[in-house]
Amino acid sequence: MIYRKVKTNLSRTLSSIEQDKATSDDYVKCILADPQIAAYIVQALVPEFKEMEVEKIIPYIGEPTVMLRFPERLGVKIQNVNNESVDEDDGKIIYDIKFPLYYNGKRKEFIINIEAQKSSKKSKLGYWLENRIAYYMGRMISEQKGTEFVNSNYDDLKSVYTIWICMDTKKSEDSIIEFGMKSSLIYGKIKKIPQIDKLNGALINVRTRATKNKKQSKNKLIGMLEELFSKSEFIEKKKILEEDYGLKMSMELEGRMSDMCNVSDYWEEVATEEGKEIGKEIGKEIGERQKIISQVVKKLQKDKSVAEIADDLEEKEEVIASIYEAALSMKPDYDVEKIYEFLEKNKKLA
């Protein structure tokens, strides 16, 4: 495995806690780059390997390059191998993990990129993740000119896969989404429509396994990843990965898992952030409902009717009527919080 350090001045400015989180991310990348884990991912997403056993895929996986923030904390040696895509016009992107995949007599046929992503939510990222996936697909194709092919030798173009593993999925939404280019005939008759299989992307939604009793995913790859990054005790986790998923614990893989302290800090951070997000949504919803109650109370005190208030607030009369009645029952205090609690208890607030 080839390790490179991300060129950044963040190491000087990040706090100790933030550096610990970044180091946890580095451990995740190293584990995902392990040949056995990479082979599991390849088997699930690359059609040519779907019928092969995981252990037989491993020899086809080329040496991965892994970009780390704090490699000195992992005790790994840095090598001067490029894992960046630099374009004068389009800027620079840094791939978490990148490796060649061989096929057909061990000729290089595929280029694989794996990205560890804490969240796929637009509210956290500020953009739709699928758009970034599309961008990576395009860059992985365009950067091959001058390296994988020259001049007009486009038949030497290698198929690319950019695979994103997101780790904050809800308990019922574990899933794998594939992205790619599809050919379709919009006019005429032709015996065979040419298919373009060079651009491929995937989003693997992995659930947070904060509790030991959560049911395993019905998808083998997701189940393996969830167990790999669960908060289970290390001995128990090792046993499940060996017995249920056939992983052989090499000294390197076992060491990474052990050093990562079962990724507890990593998952606690994800769970905390998810909890904050849910809390914000709940708080916002409660605030909006209490605002309507407050508006109704003010208009009620001005002797306005239900119909008039509904018209003023552009709400349904039945919604206003329930608030109106609850508010009258608490006259003359008109305590907004008590009115809200009463309506919630009796399920009268839409």
Side-chain angles (χ1 to χ4, degrees), residues 292 295-296 306-307 309-320 323 350:
I292 293 174
Q295 290 172 330
V296 170
V306 170
I309 297 173
D311 187 56
D312 288 347
L313 299 181
E314 296 182 344
E315 285 283 351
K316 294 178 181 178
E317 282 195 28
E318 55 264 32
V319 173
I320 300 301
I323 298 173

